[in-house]
Amino acid sequence: MKIETIKKRGFALSLIVYPLMLFIGFVTHPNLLAMEPLQTVEQLVNRFHHNSMYHIGHLIVTFAVPVIIVYFIGVMNILQGKGKAYGFWGCVIGVFGAFILAVDKGALCLTMSAFDTLPEDQFIAFTPFLQVIVSKAGLLFIVWLLFALVIGGIVQTIGLMKEKVIQKWQGIFIIIGLVLLLNPDIELISSVGSALMCTAYIPWGIKELKNT
């Protein structure tokens, strides 16, 4: 198989897999319908303690990072007209945001699975120290830069609409979906956002896959 064909198929698959992995990662959260932001250690413990699906969901989102990077680079490569600058800068910002997403899930989520292996008495004694995770103390403050992923995605989506690579309704769904991801850890809102992204991206991905 030629390299160009592999690149095109890889990009097409990223359009399908990227939003789908995010959606699965969000909907597997416990208490999905609870419209409460993550503000206390008690809320954090209630979400992850003895909940394997919580950890699996975050693992899926972590594995989505390389797929997201393939997507951003792919969009940059196809935007060569009016949206060329949008494609380039959106890729730069978006790939940085994808890196922050990997940092976020590694530091704040995968470590939770390690803490969950502690014997119950040790876990209870350790629980107060989780406050530094909730408050994002120390260098954890860099995870606030996760908004770069959304900004990069929006910038590239504007470029895609300018060059009419996608239909206007798809662009609007993608932008609204990305904006909804910027919320204080309310998983229902994030699930709705990723569902809108799936609605827009997956038909495009299927179309691109058929064209290869």
Side-chain angles (χ1 to χ4, degrees):
M1 190 182 296
K2 294 181 179 180
I3 294 297
E4 285 303 314
T5 303
I6 294 174
K7 286 167 62 177
K8 288 179 180 179
R9 288 186 180 178
F11 173 64
L13 287 172
S14 75
L15 293 172
I16 299 170
V17 176
Y18 153 42
L20 202 54
M21 291 179 81
L22 291 185
F23 179 72
I24 293 171
F26 291 130
V27 297
T28 52
H29 271 256
N31 302 319
L32 181 62
L33 300 180
M35 296 287 288
E36 58 178 21
L38 179 58
Q39 296 177 325
T40 67
V41 170
E42 183 181 6
Q43 289 174 324
L44 177 62
V45 171
N46 288 338
R47 291 186 182 192
F48 83 85
H49 195 37
H50 295 320
N51 193 322
S52 59
M53 288 307 299
Y54 177 92
H55 303 307
I56 292 171
H58 282 132
L59 185 62
I60 291 171
V61 174
T62 304
F63 285 148
V65 170
V67 181
I68 294 171
I69 293 174
V70 169
Y71 163 76
F72 278 119
I73 294 173
V75 171
M76 179 182 66
N77 289 337
I78 65 175
L79 291 177
Q80 297 299 317
K82 294 179 180 178
K84 189 171 184 177
Y86 292 90
F88 174 76
W89 290 113
C91 181
V92 171
I93 298 168
V95 168
F96 174 74
F99 163 73
I100 296 298
L101 177 61
V103 171
D104 176 86
K105 295 309 170 196
L108 303 180
C109 302
L110 300 185
T111 51
M112 297 297 104
S113 66
F115 296 148
D116 216 15
T117 64
L118 292 171
E120 194 63 21
D121 58 335
Q122 293 182 27
F123 180 84
I124 293 172
F126 175 78
T127 297
F129 298 105
L130 290 173
Q131 181 58 47
V132 296
I133 300 292
V134 175
S135 59
K136 297 178 177 59
L139 294 178
L140 281 179
F141 74 89
I142 69 169
V143 301
W144 292 113
L145 297 176
L146 189 57
F147 71 88
L149 179 66
V150 172
I151 299 301
I154 291 173
V155 169
Q156 283 198 333
T157 302
I158 293 171
L160 290 166
M161 289 192 291
K162 276 183 172 291
E163 293 195 11
K164 294 181 169 54
V165 176
I166 57 176
Q167 296 182 41
K168 188 175 181 179
W169 71 266
Q170 289 176 298
I172 292 172
F173 271 35
I174 291 170
I175 291 172
I176 294 175
L178 287 167
V179 170
L180 288 177
L181 298 184
L182 293 177
N183 68 80
D185 291 315
I186 300 176
E187 306 307 331
L188 181 60
I189 296 176
S190 297
S191 298
V192 172
S194 58
L196 288 173
M197 292 168 67
C198 285
T199 304
Y201 277 123
I202 292 177
W204 178 23
I206 293 172
K207 179 183 176 182
E208 291 288 335
L209 204 55
K210 288 179 179 178
N211 289 339
T212 59

